[in-house]
Every structure is written in structure tokens, then in C-alpha cells.
């Protein structure tokens, strides 16, 4: 791989010089990933990849054109600009509503380096391989009923340079490591699986701040074994206590997607509800480029891919819908300032409106107080996958459930999926815990392009629909 | 080489393949020069013209050319892998040194060896000459057709996003074990994603699309996809809770795939069996589904996007029966899994340029049954839930699933009564595959990549909100 690179901003400036079109956005994006995967004592991969290039977006004749080049060289970038212009011209006549020039925005000029970048550049992959082999073996040795275990470490190091014809000039670097341990338990021909995963923006001190790698391995193995004997919850409406990881999924899936301004324009359930009460007064929900309440949130970034500074966007304040999430284009359409939510996955992708770190602010109650208030319900923990619909109907999966009866926690039950209408569920909240956790930093959000995001919050008590057995 | 202008771009499929073959061979030579005992390079180039839709209008037009190369090296039975998108940047010396350095830090594994190589001549049998260089103006025309068709159906339809894309794709693989193979294909796809909005009633999402290897006749395919999108999205309006029960549900092909087939297909991987995470371990030749379930993998079906002559490791592919009348016929092997058992790969190495080969299917085909068409199947259901899509969690180890029924309809008296919202499904995929009451008499192609029928399945827990 190349070890000496030209200064990307200088190359982009040379390419942009003399370019005559309405608007040009150049984004150099170097993405280096390293990964180690171990399963049942075998090293499945030890890999390194680097994908680098420049994405070019132009606004010409009232529409966008996009092209890219893998070469960080002024001539190649100029050629991509011309291809993007040609693409825009080819489609302009077919566009019904031409875009107006983007209004001025608070564009950033500066250099930013996230926590842990230097540490990642110098990290010995041999140590990572040793750690993965050791922890997989530890999980497998935790019980005679553990049939198989796996461990995966992935690290994404991103360098970006953004230059726009109307003034943004940004260089940034960020590193996002993640770590996952899985275990499969077997008994009487039945298999049960469990995993623990963490992901952050930052260094390893941040990655393992809440649990050591050894603890993660042991917890995954213990949970897989416990699930062998677990029963199923009953299906139906229930009072539930959601762990912070599930509150993160709720904020991301049920609310976050419906307030992305492109989705609002298409008619999401949040359309037309600004200023209206959509949640309990106990709920303040934000999406931020920064890591409030606890360090290392996995979707942190200083500047978005349009050169706009990221901010803490208050989406719901004490139950009232206050803001959508915006790119420059959507902000112009709604007559507001952009919120710094335009993000692209690779240099070949155009920026889309995406979440960053989405959360509910902590409240006042302890976990014990929240459990005490439940006559009959469930405590749900361990985030699995999730999805949201246009009408606000969401679903997400949980890894484990516990019955709560008269304020006492019962034995482990198998995880179930839960569903509800986002604003109805948030309106049913009657208890908010004081402890705050980011817990959605591993994995990706999908919206055409993958994206690293995070989400979290405190323990939350509310009403949902559980998909148990009939 | 620094300037794109200085390089004459390869244009024909065979020219592109020749360049990729040379790049792969250069990477393998660099790896052996850097100290690898064995090396394999896999390269791809994809050129596309795309028109992206947003909010019911054209949002962005894009022309793209992307390439990548992944280099797998073995040093004393140790594995290393590196990938890059800089295919024109010289001799791959740095990439090879990276991969070899990674390999030297890992443990030895006696099964790390490359599959015996095959030499296959360049192939362009999957290329439509019209599509290879389809101008972006044609994609714009198709996008206009899509939008106009949707607008003509009903003003309540809202297109959140969509795309029309023409692409040409070539891959090559070369290894020190003698493998040398390359192939090109082309495709045209369209997709639409959105919902219907009627005042304060916002219907659930629907997503439709289609794909073709041929430019000719695609407009009609696109219009059929938009019509189905419109019908489904409008049908999602006015959703009410269904009724809770345990019993039969009727699954459209999308729901059958995501709710029931995942654990079975995942369990076919020989690696999953060897690692103790496949619920199919030890069941070769035994019944793993009902007698009405027969599944094939058919990479020779040109109408499916997964068609191809060789796999990620350059091993020739062939049509295989996976499950015959409910009985498990085979597991799937790549080179590594085959080496563990001292047998030959089945040609199921999967993946791209950015990772080491995994195991996967090429083109899944499930044989239809004798349950008739949609109306007949609704009659057989009588009363219960018709599920368009499944949005939920399926545990690949246990087969337990739990999730929401999407684009669902409540059926009574053998007829659709109303859209169903907030309805959760729960059950076990392996039990459900043994409880398929009947399959439709026809199958449908999903997004160009697989063919599945509808299925009437008993024993599912339905929880209504």
C-alpha cells in the first residue's frame, strides 16, 4: 500500500481551480480496515484492506450529478467532475422540481483528529490475533455445553478531506474499533446462541471501558448455556423495562428514521408534527455528532460529509417534537439550518441523511425503583436487529427476557421481538432511569449505504407488544 | 501511473477480463516474491450508470467505475489477506508485503491450502451487448417511465426512494495452484421503495424491484414491479390489528425466505457443520423439512443474477439438489472446508475482493407445489393471516423466529378482509418447514436472484396488538 500520499486538500484545491459550475463538492475518503476472526480455535481471517478515492458531487441545471475516481490526482478528479456534470445534464430535463442553489451554511474550515487514531495506526495486529484466539478459547472452555465459540475484531480507520466550491475545507480522521464474542451451546440436540459486542469511536481504553474482553467472552458463554433451559414469554401487550441497549434501538429505529428529513418529505409519520406532543414529558431525545453523557459513542464525527459542523440536535424536548435531521438540501427546503447529518459510507457514495449518536436523556430513577413499579411485566435486555416502518410501527429483537412479578425479577426467558407505534410507545413511558449507556456502536445501520452509528440512553419503562407464544 | 487520461480504458468484456487476469497474475507473483508459499488473487471491475430517485423525483444521476483486488497468501500454513482498489498503482509489492506480514503473525493450520486450479477461458456468455455500455440517458428514460407509472396508479402513492441502474461486471481469479478464470456479465435493475399516504393514514412500506440480464423487454418488467408496489402499498392503508391465534399462515415468497429458509440455508455450510453451529450436522440423508420441500442451487440458470461458471476460488460450479422431498442431499464446501474433510470443493466459495472466501449459494430455486394460485391458497387458508414480508429475528442455530408481519392481510372466508398492522409472528423455522401444508403451483423470481413459491404453513403463533 502507498506509504507517501500527497496532501489531499491540496490535490482537491488544484482540481477545483478554474472549475465553472454551480456547486462542486469534493470528498477524498481513505478507508483502512483491519479484521481478525477466530472460530473454534481456527483463525478464519487476518486481513487488511485500504480503499481510497475521491467522490465528486455537482449541482448543475437544478439537479445532482455524481462520479468518482480511485486516484488522488488533480487530473483524475477534474475528469470525475466533468463526468458528474455530464450525468447531471443528462437527467436535468427529466427532473420535475429543479433544486435551487444551496443557501449559505455554516461551513467548517479546519483539521480534526478523533481519539485513538495514533494508537490504531501503531497497533500490532499480532497482539489482536493473540487476543482473539485467547478469548475464543476462554468462551469455549466456559462450559462443557459450549459447542463452539467465535471472536471477531474489526477496526475502521477513516481519513477524509472535504472541499466545496462555497467554502468548506476540512480534514478529519477517526477510528472505530469493534469487538464481538459469540458462543453456541448444545444440549439434547438443541442449539442456543448468544453474543456480546462493543463498538466505539476511539481507542481500546474506551472500547473495553465497561467490560474487559474476558468478561465479554464469559458473559456470551454463560448466556448461551442459560438459554438452553429458558422458556418462552407469552405474546401480547405488556409493561416492559427496556435496558439501555434496547432504548438505543428504540430511539434509532422507532424515532430516528422517521425524523430524517428526506423520509419526512416522503410522508413519514413524523411529517407535520413539529411542535406537537409526541411523547411523555419524561422524554428528551437527541441526535448528536458528539458523545454526550459517556465517551466514545460509535457514530461520533466533528463535521459531516457536506462540510457542516455536527451539533446536538434536540429532536424531542420534554415530549414535544422540535426538529428533524437535515442535510443542506433538506434544510433549505424546510427553511432551517442544516444539522450536520449528511454522511456517505465510501468515496463512491453520495451523502445521505443519516443519524449519528441518538439517545434519550437520563432521568432520576434507579433500576430498583423502576422494577418495583411493575406489578406484572418483563425486563428486556440485549439488542438484536431492528427495523422501522413509515407509519411509525417498529420492531426490534431482544436476546433475553425476564418476567417481573410484583417487583421481583423471575428466571431467564428466551428473547423475543417487540413492536409498537413509536410515538404511542414513547407516550406510554412512565419511568426513566438515571444510568446512561451507549450500546449500539457495533454493527451498522442500513439505508442503501451502511453507516456506523450509536444509540443509547437510560433504563425505560413503557408499554409494548411482545411476540411470544400463543 | 497517475493519470486516468494516460490509460486507455479497456472496453469490451474480453478486454476487461484480460486486464483483470494480468492484474491477478501480477499480484500472485508479487506475493510469491514477498515470501508467500501460495497465493490467490481475485479481482473485479464494475461499471454502472444509475439514476437515483427520491421523494418521487429524480434526485441524482451517477456514472461509476470501481475495481478491487483481494490477495490471499499462505506462509507455512498461515493465512494472510489484503485488498485494495488501486489496481493501476504498479506491482502490488506493498499489498503483497502487507498480506505476508499478516500471515506470519497467525497460527499454522494444515487445512490452509488453495484448491486445485482450473484454467477456464474468458467468458462473455452472460453479457448483453446492449447493456454493456447502455448510456445513462436510457436509464433516465426508464426512471421517467417508473415515476410516471407510479403517479398514474394513485395520487396517494409516495415514492421515498428508488433507482434504475445498468451495470457491467467482470471478475477474474488466478492462483499459484494453477487457477486462471474470468467472466463478465451485465444487468439492468429497477427498484422502488415507498408507501401510500391518505390524510393521517400512513401505510406501511413496500419495496419492489426487478432485474434482467437483457435490455430488451425490461420496461414491461419495470411496469409490473411498479404495479405490484402500488397494489401492495395502497393495500397497506387502513391497517387494523388481526386476531391472535396459533395455526396456519400464508406466506408470500419474500416472507418464506426471510422467516423460514434462513436457518436451513445457513446450516448447509460445511464450515458451520465442522464448527458445531449447524443444526443440520449429522442429518445428511435424513428428513430436515416436509416432503413438499425440494431445493436446488442452479448457477446455470441465466435468468438468475447468481449465474456463473466458477466460484470465488475459480472452482467450476454446477446445478445441485440441496434438499429433495425434505431429505438433506448435500452440504456446501469451499476449498478450506473441503480440505478439513479431505474431499473436493463443491464450488460454493463466496464473497468479493474484500474478504477471504466464505461459503454461499449461487442461485436458489425452490420447486413449486400443487396448491394452486393466490385465490386457491386463500381459500385453503380460510381464516388467518397472509404475510407479505417478515421483519424480525431468526436464530440460525435454534431456528426460533420472532418478528412483525408486514404488508399483511387478514383473511376470512377465503378472501382478504383488511390490512393487518401491529401483528407479531413467533415459531421455529425447522418445525415450520415440516408443517408446510402446501406450496403454490407457481414460483416467483425475487429481485432476480432466486425463485420461490408461496407457502401455507401451520403452527405459527400470531399475536395481534
Amino acid at each position: 500500500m502507498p506509504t507517501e500520499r500527497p496532501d489531499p486538500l491540496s490535490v482537491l484545491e488544484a482540481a477545483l481551480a478554474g472549475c465553472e459550475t454551480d456547486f462542486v463538492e469534493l470528498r477524498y475518503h481513505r478507508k483502512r480496515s483491519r479484521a481478525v476472526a477466530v472460530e473454534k480455535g481456527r483463525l478464519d481471517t487476518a486481513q487488511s484492506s485500504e480503499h481510497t478515492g475521491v467522490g465528486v458531487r455537482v449541482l448543475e441545471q437544478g439537479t445532482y450529478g455524481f462520479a468518482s475516481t480511485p486516484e488522488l490526482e488533480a487530473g483524475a478528479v477534474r475528469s470525475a467532475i466533468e463526468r458528474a456534470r455530464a450525468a447531471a445534464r443528462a437527467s436535468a430535463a427529466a427532473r420535475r422540481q429543479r433544486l435551487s442553489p444551496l443557501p449559505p451554511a455554516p461551513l467548517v474550515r479546519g483539521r480534526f483528529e478523533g481519539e485513538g487514531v495514533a494508537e490504531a495506526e501503531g497497533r500490532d495486529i499480532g497482539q489482536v490475533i493473540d487476543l482473539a484466539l485467547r478469548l475464543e478459547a476462554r468462551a469455549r472452555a466456559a462450559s462443557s455445553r459450549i459447542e463452539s465459540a467465535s471472536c471477531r475484531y474489526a477496526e475502521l480507520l477513516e481519513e477524509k478531506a472535504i472541499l466545496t466550491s462555497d467554502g468548506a475545507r476540512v480534514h478529519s480522521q477517526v477510528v472505530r474499533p469493534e469487538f464481538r464474542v459469540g458462543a453456541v451451546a448444545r444440549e439434547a440436540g438443541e442449539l442456543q446462541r448468544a453474543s456480546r459486542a462493543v463498538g466505539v469511536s476511539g481507542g481500546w481504553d474506551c472500547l473495553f471501558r465497561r467490560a474487559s474482553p474476558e468478561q465479554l467472552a464469559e458473559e456470551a458463554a454463560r448466556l448461551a448455556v442459560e438459554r438452553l433451559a429458558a422458556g418462552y414469554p407469552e405474546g401480547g401487550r405488556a409493561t416492559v423495562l427496556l435496558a439501555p441497549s434496547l432504548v438505543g434501538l428504540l430511539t434509532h429505529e422507532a424515532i430516528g428514521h422517521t425524523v430524517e428529513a428526506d423520509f419526512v418529505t416522503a410522508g413519514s409519520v413524523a411529517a407535520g408534527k413539529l411542535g406537537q406532543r409526541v411523547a411523555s414529558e419524561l422524554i428528551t431525545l437527541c441526535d448528536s455528532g458528539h458523545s454526550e453523557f459517556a465517551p466514545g459513542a460509535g457514530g461520533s464525527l466533528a463535521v459531516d460529509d457536506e462540510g457542516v459542523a455536527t451539533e446536538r440536535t434536540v429532536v424531542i424536548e420534554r415530549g414535544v417534537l422540535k426538529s428533524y435531521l437535515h442535510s443542506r438540501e433538506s434544510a433549505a427546503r424546510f427553511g432551517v439550518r442544516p444539522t450536520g447529518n449528511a454522511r456517505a459510507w465510501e468515496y463512491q457514495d453520495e451523502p445521505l441523511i443519516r443519524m449519528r449518536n441518538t439517545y434519550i436523556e437520563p432521568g432520576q430513577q434507579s433500576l430498583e425503583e423502576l422494577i418495583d413499579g411493575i406489578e406484572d411485566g418483563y425486563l428486556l435486555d440485549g439488542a438484536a436487529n431492528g427495523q422501522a416502518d413509515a407509519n411509525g410501527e417498529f420492531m426490534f429483537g431482544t436476546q433475553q427476557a425476564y418476567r417481573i412479578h410484583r417487583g421481583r425479577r423471575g428466571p431467564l426467558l428466551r428473547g423475543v421481538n417487540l413492536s409498537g407505534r413509536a410515538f404511542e410507545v414513547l407516550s406510554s413511558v412512565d419511568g426513566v432511569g438515571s444510568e446512561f449507556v451507549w450500546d449500539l456502536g457495533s454493527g451498522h445501520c442500513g439505508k442503501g449505504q451502511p453507516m456506523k452509528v450509536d444509540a443509547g440512553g437510560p433504563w425505560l419503562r413503557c408499554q409494548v407488544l411482545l411476540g411470544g407464544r400463543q | 501511473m497517475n493519470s486516468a487520461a494516460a490509460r486507455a480504458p479497456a472496453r469490451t468484456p474480453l478486454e476487461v477480463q484480460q486486464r483483470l487476469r494480468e492484474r491477478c497474475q501480477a499480484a500472485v507473483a508479487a506475493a510469491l516474491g514477498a515470501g508467500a508459499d501460495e497465493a490467490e488473487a481475485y479481482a473485479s471491475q464494475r461499471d454502472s450508470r444509475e439514476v437515483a430517485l427520491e421523494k418521487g423525483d429524480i434526485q441524482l444521476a451517477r456514472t461509476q467505475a470501481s475495481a478491487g483486488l483481494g490477495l490471499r497468501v499462505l506462509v507455512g500454513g498461515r493465512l494472510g489477506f489484503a485488498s485494495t482498489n488501486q489496481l493501476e498503482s504498479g506491482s502490488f509489492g506493498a499489498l503483497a508485503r502487507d498480506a505476508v506480514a499478516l500471515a506470519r503473525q497467525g497460527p499454522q493450520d494444515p487445512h490452509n491450502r488453495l484448491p486445485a486450479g482450473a484454467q477456464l477461458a474468458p467468458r462473455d456468455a452472460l453479457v448483453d451487448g446492449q447493456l454493456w455500455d447502455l448510456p445513462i440517458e436510457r436509464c433516465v428514460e426508464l426512471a421517467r417511465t417508473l415515476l410516471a407509472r407510479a403517479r398514474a396508479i394513485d395520487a396517494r402513492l409516495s415514492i421515498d426512494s428508488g433507482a434504475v441502474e445498468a451495470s457491467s461486471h467482470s471478475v477474474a481469479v488466478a492462483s499459484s495452484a494453477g487457477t486462471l478464470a474470468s467472466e463478465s456479465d451485465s444487468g439492468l435493475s429497477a427498484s422502488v421503495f415507498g408507501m401510500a399516504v391518505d390524510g393521517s393514514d400512513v401505510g406501511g412500506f413496500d419495496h419492489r424491484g426487478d432485474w434482467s440480464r437483457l435490455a430488451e423487454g425490461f420496461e414491461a418488467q419495470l411496469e409490473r414491479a411498479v404495479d405490484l408496489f402500488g397494489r401492495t402499498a395502497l393495500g397497506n392503508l387502513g391497517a387494523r390489528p388481526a386476531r391472535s391465534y396459533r395455526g396456519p399462515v400464508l406466506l408470500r415468497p419474500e416472507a418464506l425466505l426471510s422467516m423460514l429458509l434462513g436457518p436451513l440455508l445457513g446450516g448447509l455450510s460445511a464450515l458451520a457443520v465442522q464448527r458445531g453451529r449447524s443444526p443440520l450436522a449429522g442429518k445428511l440423508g435424513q428428513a430436515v423439512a416436509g416432503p413438499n420441500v425440494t431445493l436446488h442451487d442452479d448457477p446455470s440458470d441465466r435468468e438468475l443474477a447468481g449465474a456463473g461458471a466458477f466460484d470465488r476460488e475459480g472452482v467450476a460450479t454446477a446445478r445441485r439438489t440441496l434438499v429433495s422431498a425434505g431429505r438433506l442431499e448435500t452440504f456446501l464446501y469451499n476449498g478450506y472446508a473441503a480440505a478439513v474433510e479431505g474431499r473436493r470443493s463443491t464450488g460454493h466459495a463466496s464473497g468479493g475482493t474484500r474478504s477471504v472466501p466464505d461459503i454461499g449459494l449461487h442461485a436458489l430455486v425452490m420447486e413449486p407445489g400443487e396448491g394452486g394460485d393466490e385465490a386457491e391458497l386463500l381459500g385453503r387458508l380460510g381464516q388467518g393471516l397472509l404475510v407479505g414480508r417478515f421483519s424480525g429475528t431468526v436464530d440460525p442455530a435454534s431456528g426460533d423466529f420472532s418478528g412483525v408481519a408486514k404488508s399483511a392481510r387478514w383473511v376470512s372466508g377465503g378472501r382478504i378482509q383488511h390490512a393487518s398492522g401491529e401483528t407479531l409472528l413467533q415459531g421455529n423455522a425447522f418445525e415450520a418447514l415440516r408443517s408446510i401444508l402446501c406450496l403454490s403451483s407457481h414460483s416467483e423470481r425475487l429481485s432476480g436472484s432466486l425463485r420461490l413459491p408461496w407457502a401455507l404453513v401451520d403452527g405459527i403463533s400470531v399475536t395481534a396488538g
Side-chain angles (χ1 to χ4, degrees):
Chain A
M1 312 237 172
T3 52
E4 290 183 19
R5 283 182 295 268
D7 173 47
L9 277 172
S10 301
V11 175
L12 299 187
E13 281 173 329
L16 190 60
C19 180
E20 293 181 4
T21 188
D22 300 344
F23 171 76
V24 182
E25 175 186 276
L26 304 178
R27 176 170 37 86
Y28 165 77
H29 194 161
R30 177 172 78 97
K31 196 166 198 169
R32 191 202 75 177
S33 65
R34 299 198 299 178
V36 170
V38 172
E39 185 177 34
K40 208 168 185 179
R42 305 284 189 190
L43 179 70
D44 280 341
T45 193
Q47 68 183 59
S48 164
S49 75
E50 185 164 313
H51 290 76
T52 302
V54 179
V56 175
R57 188 167 64 156
V58 304
L59 181 54
E60 184 156 321
Q61 296 184 11
T63 194
Y64 283 120
F66 190 92
S68 64
T69 172
E71 296 177 70
L72 181 60
E73 192 271 327
V77 178
R78 273 195 290 271
S79 172
I81 292 172
E82 290 311 312
R83 291 199 305 278
R85 294 183 67 187
R89 288 194 297 269
S91 65
R95 184 168 184 136
R96 293 175 97 197
Q97 292 189 316
R98 302 285 179 96
L99 294 171
S100 302
L102 293 172
L107 299 173
V108 176
R109 298 176 71 85
R111 290 180 181 266
F112 304 86
E113 181 171 313
E115 298 280 332
V117 170
E119 173 193 321
E121 293 275 19
R123 182 168 293 122
D124 175 12
I125 198 75
Q127 289 181 347
V128 180
I129 293 171
D130 290 344
L131 178 70
L133 285 164
R134 186 162 51 80
L135 292 175
E136 184 277 333
R138 188 164 183 145
R140 202 156 23 97
S143 165
S144 59
R145 283 176 286 180
I146 296 293
E147 175 77 15
S148 177
S150 61
C151 181
R152 182 177 177 84
Y153 174 81
E155 178 183 274
L156 196 59
L157 180 65
E158 295 185 274
E159 178 191 7
K160 292 183 182 181
I162 297 163
L163 189 73
T164 67
S165 54
D166 59 353
R169 189 182 190 282
V170 182
H171 182 269
S172 66
Q173 287 184 282
V174 64
V175 63
R176 306 189 203 277
E178 66 179 63
F179 180 83
R180 177 181 295 270
V181 189
V184 178
R186 177 190 290 271
E187 190 169 63
E190 184 187 2
L191 296 177
Q192 281 292 330
R193 198 177 58 120
S195 65
R196 287 296 316 270
V198 288
V200 300
S201 304
W204 275 26
D205 57 337
C206 192
L207 185 67
F208 298 118
R209 69 185 183 275
R210 287 174 40 227
S212 69
E214 291 77 11
Q215 286 172 313
L216 294 170
E218 287 166 8
E219 284 176 21
R222 179 180 52 77
L223 188 56
V225 170
E226 286 181 4
R227 288 182 68 169
L228 287 168
Y232 293 92
E234 294 166 19
R237 289 218 175 269
T239 299
V240 296
L241 189 52
L242 300 179
S245 60
L246 297 174
V247 172
L249 262 184
L250 179 75
T251 60
H252 179 94
E253 296 294 350
I255 304 296
H257 282 299
T258 64
V259 297
E260 291 166 341
D262 50 347
F263 196 19
V264 172
T265 306
S268 89
V269 71
K273 287 195 167 64
L274 281 181
Q276 293 183 21
R277 175 163 297 284
V278 294
S280 154
E281 197 173 44
L282 297 171
I283 297 296
T284 292
L285 188 153
C286 306
D287 179 75
S288 176
H290 310 288
S291 190
E292 280 96 20
F293 297 105
S300 302
L301 68 163
V303 185
D304 80 357
D305 289 332
E306 293 184 327
V308 175
T310 59
E311 60 168 28
R312 171 178 170 269
T313 307
V314 179
V315 175
I316 297 173
E317 186 173 36
R318 296 174 63 81
V320 176
L321 188 64
K322 289 290 185 182
S323 177
Y324 301 131
L325 306 178
H326 288 289
S327 63
R328 292 186 68 184
E329 179 200 333
S330 74
R333 184 180 301 117
F334 281 77
V336 297
R337 285 161 53 101
T339 54
N341 283 86
R343 303 178 67 187
W345 177 240
E346 295 200 336
Y347 75 90
Q348 295 170 291
D349 298 315
E350 77 279 15
L352 302 176
I353 298 175
R354 306 303 297 264
M355 283 171 266
R356 304 155 302 189
N357 305 311
T358 317
Y359 63 94
I360 288 175
E361 290 191 350
Q364 303 293 326
Q365 292 178 275
S366 69
L367 177 58
E368 292 71 26
E369 288 170 330
L370 290 166
I371 292 176
D372 276 348
I374 297 178
E375 173 66 21
D376 191 14
Y378 293 93
L379 182 151
L380 304 175
D381 198 358
N385 60 327
Q387 286 179 9
D389 208 328
N391 53 12
E393 182 178 285
F394 66 88
M395 82 81 204
F396 52 81
T398 68
Q399 289 203 47
Q400 64 254 45
Y402 301 87
R403 187 79 187 240
I404 299 176
H405 188 61
R406 292 181 180 167
R408 293 175 66 90
R409 187 198 294 208
L412 175 72
L413 300 169
R414 294 184 189 189
V416 290
N417 276 54
L418 52 91
S419 180
R421 300 264 177 175
F423 293 145
E424 289 173 16
V425 170
L426 284 188
S427 296
S428 75
V429 170
D430 68 353
V432 179
S434 56
E435 180 192 3
F436 183 96
V437 178
W438 292 113
D439 208 3
L440 211 65
S442 63
H444 301 87
C445 167
K447 183 182 170 183
Q449 307 165 20
M451 189 55 65
K452 295 299 292 186
V453 298
D454 210 336
W459 289 85
L460 204 70
R461 193 171 59 209
C462 57
Q463 305 277 325
V464 299
L465 181 64
L466 281 184
R469 289 213 158 167
Q470 291 296 318
Chain B
M1 185 181 297
N2 279 328
S3 169
R7 189 178 65 248
R11 294 302 331 156
T12 71
L14 297 182
E15 286 172 351
V16 174
Q17 287 179 52
Q18 185 56 38
R19 190 177 71 87
L20 292 178
R21 283 175 171 241
E22 290 166 4
R23 296 280 74 199
C24 286
Q25 289 170 318
V28 168
L32 297 177
D37 301 325
E38 296 181 70
E40 170 203 82
Y42 180 82
S44 79
Q45 179 169 326
R46 189 172 189 278
D47 295 272
S48 66
R49 286 75 60 202
E50 182 192 11
V51 177
L53 311 175
E54 208 175 287
K55 303 176 286 286
D57 203 348
I58 285 172
Q59 171 69 4
L60 176 144
R62 178 205 321 256
T63 58
Q64 291 278 51
S66 60
L69 184 143
L71 179 62
R72 176 164 57 148
V73 304
L74 301 175
V75 183
R78 297 176 169 90
L79 169 70
F81 181 87
S83 75
T84 180
N85 68 334
Q86 305 292 311
L87 263 62
E88 304 302 329
S89 61
S91 64
F92 297 114
L95 184 80
R97 286 192 294 276
D98 253 16
V100 168
L102 280 165
R104 287 192 168 130
Q105 298 186 73
Q108 281 189 317
D109 183 339
H111 305 118
N112 270 331
R113 48 183 186 262
L114 301 178
Q119 297 239 348
L120 301 174
R123 292 181 83 248
D124 61 359
L126 298 175
V127 173
D128 174 8
Q130 275 191 66
L131 271 185
W132 185 257
D133 261 334
L134 196 77
I136 194 163
E137 286 78 5
R138 177 61 184 146
C139 295
V140 173
E141 283 173 25
L142 289 167
R144 287 177 101 152
T145 301
L146 186 158
L147 291 167
R149 187 84 176 186
R151 283 187 209 111
I153 292 173
D154 195 300
R156 293 173 295 174
L157 282 180
S158 175
I159 294 179
D160 173 70
S161 57
V164 172
E165 183 185 47
S167 64
S168 49
H169 184 222
S170 300
V171 297
V173 56
S175 80
S176 56
T179 300
L180 185 61
S182 61
E183 187 165 36
S184 298
D185 70 6
S186 55
L188 184 56
S189 66
S191 64
V192 57
F193 178 82
M195 63 278 196
V197 181
D198 190 357
S200 62
D201 184 5
V202 180
F205 277 135
D206 192 58
H207 173 263
R208 300 288 157 183
D210 210 346
W211 170 94
S212 177
R213 207 177 285 291
L214 299 172
E216 182 113 13
F218 186 70
E219 201 157 314
Q221 281 181 244
L222 178 153
E223 290 177 349
R224 279 195 297 274
V226 175
D227 290 351
L228 183 55
F229 161 75
R231 248 194 335 271
T232 311
L234 289 165
N236 287 344
L237 288 170
R240 315 202 289 274
R243 294 181 204 164
S244 298
Y245 70 99
R246 183 167 183 167
V249 297
L250 179 57
L251 305 177
R252 290 182 61 100
E254 294 92 331
L256 171 64
L257 176 68
S258 55
M259 198 165 111
L260 300 192
L261 292 181
L264 176 70
L265 300 177
L268 292 172
S269 161
L271 210 54
V273 175
Q274 292 161 6
R275 302 289 173 78
R277 58 179 154 82
S278 170
L280 303 181
K283 294 185 176 169
L284 202 60
Q286 298 179 22
V288 295
N292 43 14
V293 175
T294 294
L295 297 165
H296 310 282
D297 182 36
D298 192 0
S300 66
D301 187 339
R302 285 173 48 88
E303 291 185 6
L304 295 179
F310 57 89
D311 74 354
R312 165 68 176 78
E313 294 176 319
V315 174
T317 57
R319 184 177 193 271
R320 282 177 188 273
T321 298
L322 310 170
V323 174
S324 176
R327 196 181 61 199
L328 181 61
E329 294 287 331
T330 186
F331 290 112
L332 310 178
Y333 291 83
N334 63 6
Y336 178 88
V340 169
E341 297 182 28
R343 51 169 293 162
R344 292 169 68 94
S345 165
T346 55
H348 285 97
S350 65
T353 61
R354 297 195 187 192
S355 59
V356 295
D358 198 351
I359 294 177
L361 291 167
H362 303 286
L364 179 70
V365 176
M366 184 171 182
E367 287 190 2
E370 297 174 345
D373 60 9
E374 178 179 348
E376 203 169 337
L377 288 164
L378 288 171
R380 289 172 187 266
L381 174 63
Q383 177 167 297
L385 199 68
L386 162 63
V387 183
R389 289 185 294 116
F390 173 76
S391 171
T393 309
V394 186
D395 186 307
S398 66
D400 285 346
F401 63 81
S402 176
V404 179
K406 309 299 292 186
S407 296
R409 306 286 184 265
W410 181 250
V411 176
S412 182
R415 302 186 65 158
I416 290 172
Q417 301 299 316
H418 59 81
S420 169
E422 290 193 80
T423 305
L424 284 149
L425 306 172
Q426 200 266 349
N428 182 276
F430 293 107
E431 290 171 14
L433 285 171
R434 291 188 175 90
S435 308
I436 294 179
L437 300 172
C438 65
L439 298 168
S440 61
S441 302
H442 69 289
S443 56
E444 295 179 9
R445 205 178 61 158
L446 295 188
S447 302
S449 57
L450 62 172
R451 292 182 200 278
L452 298 175
W454 295 44
L456 183 61
V457 186
D458 203 3
I460 308 297
S461 287
V462 177
T463 300

